Every structure is written in C-alpha cells, then in structure tokens.
Amino acid sequence: MLLASLNPAAVAAGADLDDAIRIDGVSLSRSDLVGAATSVAERVAGAARVAVLAWPTASTVLALAGCLIAGVPAVPVPADVGAAERRHILTDSGAQAWLGEQPDDSEGLGHIPVRLHARSWHRYAEPPADAPALIIYTSGTTGPPKGVVVSRRAIAADIDMLAQAWEWTADDTLVHGLPLYHVHGLVLGLLGSLRIGNRFIHTGKPKPAAYAEAVAEQGGTLLFGVPTVWSRIVDDGDAARALSAARLLVSGSAPLPVPVFDGLARLSGHQPVERYGSTESLITLSTLAAGERRAGWVGLPLTGVRTRLVDESGEEIAHDGETIGRLHVQSPTLFDGYLNRPDATAEVLAADGWYRTGDVAVIDDGGMHRIVGRESVDLIKTGGFRVGAGEIETVLLGHPGVAEAAVIGAPDDDLGQKIVAFVVGDAAPDELADYVAQQLSVHKRPRTVRVVDSLPRNAMGKVLKKELVQWV
C-alpha cells in the first residue's frame, strides 16, 4: 500500500495520531486523513486526471491523498505559476477538473471542492503498482515544461530507499516549508510521511525562526530544506543553534555551498545530509545517516541504484574523484516517460534502462559522487581543458567577500569558452580572479568577474544559468 500509514484497519486498531499533519494552522489526525481523503476519492474516482493547485494547505494534502487512494493521477500545479505556463500544463496534461482550491482563472475547467470535515469509510482496492500516481511538470528551463509521469511503484521504492539511508521511521517528526509541487516537498516530505507514518509539519514559508520553533516546541527531528533555506538559517545564528536537538538535516534541489555546510556543522552540531536526484529519477544518491558526509559531495547510490560516468563517445571513464563525465543512472525509481513526448523520452531514457541525467559528475574510488552541474551550462570547455563550474564556485564562496557565486562558460573566439563568474558580495573582481588562480589551476581563473546585486533563481533556489548567459 503506497500510503501505508492511512491503512483504515491500522487506524481503527489504534495506530492513530491526533496531529499526523500540521499545515496552514490545521491539524489532522490519521483518522481525519483516512476519512476526509477517502471522501475526496469518492468524488474523483473514475477521472482520468485532475489538477491540484498546490498551495501548502490541508485542502491540498487531502486532494493529493484522495487521488492516490482512488488511483487517479494528480497534476500538481505550482500555486504561483504564470497564466501561460498554467494553461500549458492544463492543456498538455488533459486535466479534467480542479480538485480543491482553484485559481481566479480556471481556464474553463470544472471544480471539485475538498471538504475538510467530510468523511467516508469506503474501502478502495490498492491500484496497480505500475499505475501513474503523479504527473509533475519540469521547470521548463529548456523549453515548455514537460509532464513527468511517475508511477506508484517508483514513489514507494524511493521512500523506502531513503528510509533505509536516513534511518527514517514513524518516530520522526518531519519539518519543512517547501512547495508541494516538486519532488522534494511533495514526494519526499508529504508522501514520505504518509507512507512511513511519521508526524509531518509544514512551516508555511521556510523561515529560520519557523524551523527553530518546530524543533524546540514541536519536537522536529528530520528537517528538509534547499540551500537558500540553510543559508538563511546559518546567517540567523540563533536559529541554527536551535536545530541542535534535531536528528538529521537534509539538503537538496541545488548544490549546498561548502561555507553553508560548514556553518551548519559549527552552529547546530549537525553535518547536513546531501542527496541528488531529479523529477525524472526521484532521489538516487545520498550521504547516509550513519556514514560519511563530505561537503560538496552528494553521496552513494541508494539500494538498487546503479550509476556510470561516460565520455562524449559513450565509453565509461575512471572513478578517480577527478575525471568529469556524463552521469547515467539505472534505478527502480525512474519515471515512465514524458507525457505526450515520446521523442523527448527517447532522448534521455535508453532502451537498456539507463537514464541520461544531463548532469556531469565525478565519482571517487569509494563510490562517492560529486555533481559538477548540468552538462549544458556547468561543463566549461576552455582552451582544451574541461572545467567544472562548481569547483570554481566553491572556491569563490570560500572568500570572505563573497556571499553568492555562479560560474558559466561564455562563447569565446580564442578559447572556445571563457570562464565568467557572477558574484554577490563586496570583493574586487581582480582580487577574486587571482584568488581562484591561487587555489586552483591557472586555467580555471575566471576571465571575467561581475559583481551583481543578486542571482536569478527559480522557486527551488536553483540559479538560472541560461539567464546568466544572456547577461554576458
């Protein structure tokens, strides 16, 4: 059963929690979740797909749980998405109605309300494991967003693999303030909690004080955040120290800067767990609760996952901790394809089951992975050298005059690409270029350093490097 903690028989036998879910000022017991989500299931049963406007509310939780109980694929729609992108998601997905909350412009779709106090105790048979559970749309950085079809089997496998890696149990209280339309906040945070049976607290906005309060006053043990969240917590100081009572801090969705890793370790006493994945693969790599955690490295393959590095010709390359290659993944958590896009699916999902992630990485002789970045923007070919942007960013972030850094390769007639660094801070550009040359090889020295007020980021904190290329 995908949502194992919502087993009606177990709840009836006493496996209830008065506050299994706390979100947007509402607390739901496990019996509330079973009864209200089953009521939602009765209203949507038989639908092909429904759209869920994914505000962090109790209505959204029940809408998503109700779809999974009924076996109806849900299409989480970002609550703050623009009208054109929302229209594309609805049209491409074929969603038949809004379930729960709806936007001011419903795009002509009908509306199925979610009633928090409605209850049903109808028993639904568990849908087939290979049935689609979610259609999650990509961020659309390389074109219109694509609908990633994720099966029930993939979600269950990923949660179970992470439970093993993070020693995650029903005794935990999971805390985060992330969106409920991406893998991190939705699949790991919410659906993970509904499968494992731990308490789940959504803080609303991911403010440092809210995380600190959730640990100090509500017993938070397992905390999820993106690097921007952790950076703000480190800057707060008091909030970081308040996290000492937690069990595990988990960072993902973007690279965690080494100074933030070090700051969390110093102030909270916890080295954060870092992990790696994508919408298409879910989470496939992670450092372990009981293993080594190394700043800048995202860990080992989870149980059942295989990885390889290949060069431009497809030949496998050395796992020496230095040689950069294209990262391919085999995993029981892989997606079933892009909705309506067999061409795009074939480009990344090979017939032999290997998923071409589009990321470049290095692997050391112990199997630890470091993600260099996206092949399209983070692998810089300059003067005959292959340089990873992330390595330069890490060095720049170690300079006391740099708060944020992003490095790209810009077209250059002589070098092929030249290294360009964008930094937020008060250090002089020439000083930073020389600093990199002193710490790394001379050929990794940025040819241009631009000091900017801020870096363009998406909702998950990832720097939009394709936008930075346009700034050059």
Side-chain angles (χ1 to χ4, degrees), residues 324 378-382 385-389 392 419 443-444:
I324 298 172
D378 291 307
L379 181 59
I380 303 170
K381 299 175 182 178
T382 179
F385 294 99
R386 294 158 59 88
V387 177
I392 302 171
I419 299 171
H443 68 265
K444 297 178 182 179

Side-chain angles (χ1 to χ4, degrees), residues 381-450:
K381 299 175 182 178
T382 179
F385 294 99
R386 294 158 59 88
V387 177
E391 183 179 21
I392 302 171
E393 291 163 355
T394 296
V395 170
L396 287 169
L397 287 167
H399 191 285
V402 174
E404 299 178 61
V407 172
I408 63 167
D412 184 85
D413 291 338
D414 179 39
L415 298 169
Q417 287 182 303
K418 66 177 181 179
I419 299 171
V420 179
F422 293 84
V423 300
V424 177
D426 55 11
D430 287 346
E431 176 188 352
L432 292 176
D434 291 341
Y435 180 73
V436 172
Q438 293 163 9
Q439 301 291 319
L440 302 174
S441 303
V442 173
H443 68 265
K444 297 178 182 179
R445 181 184 192 275
R447 297 301 179 108
T448 302
V449 177
R450 291 179 56 177

Side-chain angles (χ1 to χ4, degrees), residues 114-144:
V114 168
R115 300 188 174 99
L116 297 186
H117 301 292
R119 298 290 184 270
S120 171
W121 306 109
H122 180 78
R123 298 289 183 91
Y124 282 86
E126 179 74 2
D130 290 329
L134 299 170
I135 301 171
I136 305 177
Y137 277 78
T138 63
S139 56
T141 55
T142 58

Side-chain angles (χ1 to χ4, degrees), residues 67-360:
C67 285
L68 291 171
I69 290 171
V72 174
V75 183
V77 179
D80 56 355
V81 72
E85 188 168 322
R86 183 173 64 232
R87 188 175 305 115
H88 167 76
I89 291 173
L90 296 176
T91 302
D92 186 67
S93 69
Q96 295 172 299
W98 288 105
L99 176 61
E101 302 180 48
Q102 62 176 338
D104 293 335
D105 182 358
S106 64
E107 303 290 347
L109 290 188
H111 177 227
I112 303 171
V114 168
R115 300 188 174 99
L116 297 186
H117 301 292
R119 298 290 184 270
S120 171
W121 306 109
H122 180 78
R123 298 289 183 91
Y124 282 86
E126 179 74 2
D130 290 329
L134 299 170
I135 301 171
I136 305 177
Y137 277 78
T138 63
S139 56
T141 55
T142 58
K146 298 187 288 289
V148 178
V149 182
V150 184
S151 72
R152 303 172 70 91
R153 184 189 303 277
I155 292 172
D158 204 47
I159 293 167
D160 292 348
M161 290 153 56
L162 290 171
Q164 180 185 31
W166 298 344
E167 300 177 2
W168 177 6
T169 73
D171 293 330
D172 277 306
T173 294
L174 192 156
V175 177
H176 78 66
L178 304 174
L180 296 183
Y181 48 82
H182 284 143
V183 168
H184 198 163
L186 169 55
V187 177
L188 275 60
L190 177 59
L191 302 189
S193 297
L194 294 180
R195 180 169 179 79
I196 289 174
N198 56 272
R199 286 181 171 85
F200 172 81
I201 298 172
H202 196 285
T203 64
K205 293 183 178 180
K207 295 181 178 179
Y211 275 59
E213 178 184 334
V215 172
E217 300 182 12
Q218 300 174 47
T221 61
L222 180 58
L223 278 60
F224 290 175
V226 297
T228 302
V229 172
W230 298 123
S231 177
R232 291 172 181 170
I233 286 174
V234 168
D235 288 343
D236 186 285
D238 287 342
R241 283 183 282 271
L243 304 188
S244 62
R247 184 179 68 81
L248 206 64
L249 315 183
V250 180
S251 182
S253 298
L256 183 68
V258 172
V260 178
F261 180 102
D262 292 341
L264 283 171
R266 184 181 69 255
L267 295 169
S268 74
H270 295 290
Q271 290 183 324
V273 159
E274 295 188 66
R275 87 298 182 284
Y276 164 83
S278 66
T279 308
E280 291 88 345
S281 70
L282 303 182
I283 307 306
T284 51
L285 305 171
S286 180
T287 51
L288 307 178
E292 178 190 6
R293 303 176 207 169
R294 190 188 308 170
W297 294 72
V298 295
L300 306 167
L302 297 174
T303 301
V305 175
R306 297 175 61 203
T307 63
R308 69 184 182 190
L309 294 181
V310 301
D311 59 20
E312 285 88 345
S313 64
E315 295 296 318
E316 292 198 43
I317 62 174
H319 293 183
D320 57 12
E322 295 182 2
T323 306
I324 298 172
R326 298 171 175 174
L327 179 64
H328 293 179
V329 173
Q330 272 188 348
S331 173
T333 64
L334 293 183
F335 74 133
D336 292 336
Y338 296 116
L339 187 67
N340 307 321
R341 292 291 306 275
D343 55 335
T345 303
E347 288 177 5
V348 300
L349 197 57
D352 60 2
W354 285 99
Y355 167 56
R356 307 178 187 101
T357 66
D359 288 320
V360 286

